């Protein structure tokens, strides 16, 4: 039987989809990239903003027609929205056969067996705190390079930022064993993977046993993990996403600077530049503390680039608070930022707070930050002109197949004219001759 998997949401969800695909492929299922050729459709969903849920519900609703034509089709919902809405999904989407929560995804093969044997609706939602160490399978979905791989090192989140649904739908934070992660990375490297991206909702909390206080100075199991991974032959780049700012102690910062394979690009979610709003968000750092971490990281990696997540229009956000965010963004100089309009999630404390901001104001603030971000990256990318950058080749450029593209360690997209021997996964030097806000263009040297 053929399975089509559609993924919404973050890298953690993409990684889960790969693991699901790997699990099913090893049991003889075919993984296909078109729904028309599938016998089973799986939607791995996201709940982080209302928009994310609306998109998935709309798509799955649309599939109803397909199911009318082909009643034998099996349709399942997995991931965060499955966990969030549970059996209620059967009411709105009666053509759905199964709903599996985030902690139960390893049971998918059994669920499919049972649905194939006796067609009835099935929901599996409890036990969300189970560790999913068994999910080490890697299946290459179309679109991901053969030489890049995600490795999930933690699951869940214990931070409970007041706006965020993730701790409720992904459960308590658990870390995998360091030895398991290293073995997985070694296997991937032996299979030709050059770049790994370590994943976790709060990836720098790896190995801390779910403690919500950031570790004391001198303690960082995450730094220890990076040091182990840095030794693996064949790997040339290590990235990670997303670290919570307060977990960058001096030990971690020193380690990042010392390891040659760790990329000089950090995604450091800011959320807001106003201390008042950070406090209401239950983010346990101040703007000053955040800037101090940025400065320390710059000290050990002078060419480092930063990206971030920002929420505009959090309840009670005044013009002054918003300007504090603009100010902080200017001070850091982000090369990329994901700017989100605050979306109330039922069950989270922020949804009940007074001072909800009108949609039009959220939109206006969003547009302003996007514009300021583009202004900055346009100017910053010009500073790369004439420099030579080391680029990990990804493949033909999507816009212009006559050109190839890849990324620098600092996560800059570089487009260049390939040589006959140019191959994906190779490291090459490219001299930058032109730039836009999003891309550097260059020539092989
Ligand atoms: N664990 C990651 C973030 C996961 S969610 C971290 O803490 O960095 C990705 C981003 O979505 C968050 O950083 C936040 O900016 C945004 N987000 C989360 N909940 C949101 C909400 N209710 N409305 C708008 N944006 C939200
Ligand atoms: Fe959500 Fe905060 Fe956890 Fe990130 S750290 S997943 S924003 S609760
Ligand atoms: Fe969305 Fe779940 Fe990721 S809510 S952002 S898919 S952890």
């Amino acid at each position: 039987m053929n399975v089509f998997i559609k993924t919404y949401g973050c890298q953690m969800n993409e990684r889960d989809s790969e693991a699901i695909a790997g699990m099913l492929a090893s049991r003889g299922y075919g993984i296909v990239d078109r729904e028309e050729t599938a016998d089973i459709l799986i939607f791995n969903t996201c709940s982080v903003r209302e928009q994310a849920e609306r998109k998935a519900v709309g798509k799955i609703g649309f599939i109803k027609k397909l199911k009318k034509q082909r009643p034998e089709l099996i349709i399942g919902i997995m991931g965060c929205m499955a966990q969030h809405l549970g059996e209620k999904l059967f009411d709105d989407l009666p053509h759905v056969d199964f709903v599996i929560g985030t902690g139960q995804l390893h049971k998918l093969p059994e669920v499919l067996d049972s649905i194939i044997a006796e067609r009835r609706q099935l929901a599996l939602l409890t036990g969300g705190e189970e560790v999913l160490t068994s999910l080490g399978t890697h299946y290459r979905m179309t679109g991901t390079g053969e030489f890049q791989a995600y490795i999930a090192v933690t699951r869940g989140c214990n931070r409970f930022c007041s706006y965020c649904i993730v701790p409720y739908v992904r459960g308590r934070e658990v870390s995998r064993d360091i030895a398991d992660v290293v073995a997985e990375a070694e296997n991937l490297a032996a299979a030709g993977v050059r770049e790994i991206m370590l994943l976790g909702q709060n990836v720098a909390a790896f190995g801390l046993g779910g403690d919500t206080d950031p570790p004391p100075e001198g303690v960082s199991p995450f730094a220890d993990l990076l040091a182990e991974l840095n030794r693996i032959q064949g790997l040339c780049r290590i990235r990670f996403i997303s670290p919570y700012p307060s977990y960058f102690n001096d030990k971690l910062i020193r380690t990042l600077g010392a390891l040659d394979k760790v990329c000089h690009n950090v995604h450091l979610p800011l959320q807001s530049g106003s201390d008042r709003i950070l406090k209401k968000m239950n983010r346990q750092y101040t703007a000053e503390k955040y800037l101090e971490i940025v400065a320390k990281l710059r000290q050990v990696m002078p060419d480092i680039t930063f990206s971030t997540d920002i929420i505009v229009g959090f309840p009670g956000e005044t013009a002054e608070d918003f300007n504090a965010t603009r100010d902080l963004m200017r001070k850091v100089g982000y090369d990329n930022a994901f700017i989100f309009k605050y979306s109330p999630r039922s069950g989270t404390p922020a949804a009940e707070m007074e001072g909800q901001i009108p949609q039009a104001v959220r939109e206006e603030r969003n547009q302003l930050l996007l514009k300021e971000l583009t202004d900055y990256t346009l100017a910053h990318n010009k500073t790369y002109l004439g420099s030579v950058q080391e680029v990990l080749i990804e493949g033909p450029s999507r816009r212009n197949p006559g050109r190839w593209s890849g990324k620098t360690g600092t996560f800059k997209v570089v487009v260049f004219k390939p040589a006959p021997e140019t191959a994906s996964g190779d490291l090459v030097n490219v001299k930058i001759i032109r730039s836009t806000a999003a891309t550097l263009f260059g020539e092989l040297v």
Side-chain angles (χ1 to χ4, degrees):
M1 286 178 109
N2 285 337
V3 185
F4 169 83
I5 304 171
K6 167 87 183 153
T7 312
Y8 298 88
C10 63
Q11 288 95 337
M12 269 59 61
N13 249 19
E14 287 177 38
R15 175 67 197 106
D16 281 352
S17 288
E18 278 180 8
I20 292 167
M23 224 166 25
L24 295 179
S26 71
R27 283 169 174 80
Y29 289 93
I31 308 298
V32 295
D33 54 14
R34 286 184 38 228
E35 48 199 66
E36 301 81 51
T37 54
D39 310 292
I40 302 167
L41 304 180
I42 297 176
F43 296 89
N44 191 12
T45 57
C46 171
S47 277
V48 78
R49 284 167 291 276
E50 200 191 337
Q51 178 71 9
E53 288 193 343
R54 226 185 294 138
K55 231 161 78 183
V57 167
K59 171 76 188 169
I60 301 163
F62 192 71
I63 296 292
K64 195 172 185 171
K65 271 200 271 178
L66 206 62
K67 181 116 176 185
K68 274 226 174 83
Q69 292 159 9
R70 295 169 48 201
E72 72 288 356
L73 197 64
I74 296 175
I75 299 170
I77 306 180
M78 299 182 69
C80 299
M81 186 181 78
Q83 189 67 48
H84 182 215
L85 301 177
E87 293 180 28
K88 268 188 286 185
L89 285 164
F90 291 137
D91 301 337
D92 295 337
L93 303 162
H95 55 296
V96 166
D97 297 279
F98 67 90
V99 174
I100 301 181
T102 50
Q104 299 291 317
L105 69 111
H106 54 304
K107 302 245 176 82
L108 173 65
E110 292 158 46
V111 168
L112 285 177
D113 287 348
S114 123
I115 288 178
I116 292 164
E118 41 174 319
R119 299 290 304 234
R120 62 186 175 89
Q121 282 180 322
L122 222 126
L124 211 57
L125 297 158
T126 48
E129 286 165 37
E130 206 164 318
V131 195
L132 300 170
T133 43
S134 56
L135 292 176
T137 51
H138 280 259
Y139 184 88
R140 300 257 149 250
M141 309 285 271
T142 45
T144 42
E146 288 290 318
F147 55 90
Q148 293 169 314
Y150 288 137
I151 301 181
V153 302
T154 70
R155 283 186 78 84
C157 184
N158 284 357
R159 296 234 51 103
F160 290 94
C161 303
S162 66
Y163 50 80
C164 186
I165 200 170
V166 170
Y168 305 91
V169 293
R170 286 254 159 183
R172 293 295 56 73
E173 175 192 293
V174 283
S175 294
R176 293 174 60 195
D177 245 20
I178 188 162
D180 283 352
V181 177
V182 173
E184 189 173 325
E186 279 170 345
N187 288 337
L188 288 165
V193 166
R194 295 281 157 268
E195 176 178 295
I196 53 172
M197 170 92 89
L198 307 178
L199 304 178
Q201 291 299 347
N202 176 7
V203 73
F206 173 82
L208 291 172
D211 205 341
T212 45
D213 287 327
E217 199 42 77
V219 177
S220 176
F222 183 61
D224 301 335
L225 172 67
L226 291 171
E228 291 281 321
L229 296 171
N230 198 70
R231 279 200 273 274
I232 297 176
Q233 280 237 325
L235 273 190
C236 53
R237 285 183 173 180
I238 303 171
R239 300 186 185 279
F240 55 89
I241 198 167
S242 289
Y244 189 93
S246 333
Y247 289 68
F248 283 88
N249 58 16
D250 288 347
K251 172 172 175 175
L252 178 56
I253 292 171
R254 237 183 302 116
T255 308
L256 292 172
L259 299 175
D260 62 320
K261 294 179 184 175
V262 169
C263 288
H264 290 188
N265 167 259
V266 171
H267 182 74
L268 197 58
L270 170 67
Q271 313 302 357
S272 169
S274 151
D275 288 345
R276 205 178 68 82
I277 296 295
L278 285 170
K279 200 156 185 196
K280 288 179 75 178
M281 287 177 161
N282 193 27
R283 298 286 290 186
Q284 275 155 19
Y285 51 87
T286 57
E288 189 189 344
K289 173 81 189 152
Y290 184 97
L291 285 171
E292 189 187 306
I293 296 163
V294 166
K296 283 184 177 175
L297 285 165
R298 281 220 160 99
Q299 224 162 37
V300 296
M301 297 177 273
D303 64 341
I304 191 172
T305 56
F306 291 98
S307 59
T308 197
D309 291 346
I310 306 270
I311 297 176
V312 292
F314 185 83
E317 185 187 67
T318 61
E320 196 183 327
D321 294 318
F322 175 64
N323 283 333
T325 301
R326 292 172 69 192
D327 190 44
L328 205 137
M329 285 185 79
R330 236 173 280 136
K331 281 187 180 142
V332 176
Y334 294 103
D335 280 77
N336 200 6
F338 299 91
I339 299 158
F340 303 108
K341 285 170 273 182
Y342 170 69
S343 166
R345 309 310 290 132
S346 65
T348 63
E352 309 300 321
M353 287 180 189
E354 280 173 20
Q356 300 285 329
I357 305 292
Q359 186 62 25
V361 177
R362 287 183 238 172
E363 184 59 44
E364 189 187 318
R365 291 179 180 172
N366 185 38
Q367 289 306 327
L368 188 59
L369 291 191
L370 283 174
K371 186 188 169 301
E372 290 183 350
L373 176 70
T374 311
D375 291 347
Y376 173 80
T377 55
L378 191 64
H380 184 232
N381 283 353
K382 285 200 178 119
T383 67
Y384 288 85
L385 294 177
S387 71
V388 174
Q389 298 289 324
E390 189 181 60
V391 174
L392 183 67
I393 303 178
E394 295 185 348
S397 152
R398 248 172 287 165
R399 292 234 182 106
N400 178 355
R403 294 282 180 276
W404 280 47
S405 79
K407 283 196 193 77
T408 65
T410 53
F411 220 60
K412 291 277 162 196
V413 177
V414 178
V415 172
F416 59 94
K417 196 170 158 207
E421 70 278 10
T422 297
S424 302
D426 281 356
L427 274 177
V428 290
N429 284 322
V430 178
K431 184 171 180 182
I432 306 304
I433 52 174
R434 190 163 74 80
S435 67
T436 62
T439 313
L440 304 177
F441 297 85
E443 287 165 350
L444 287 168
V445 293

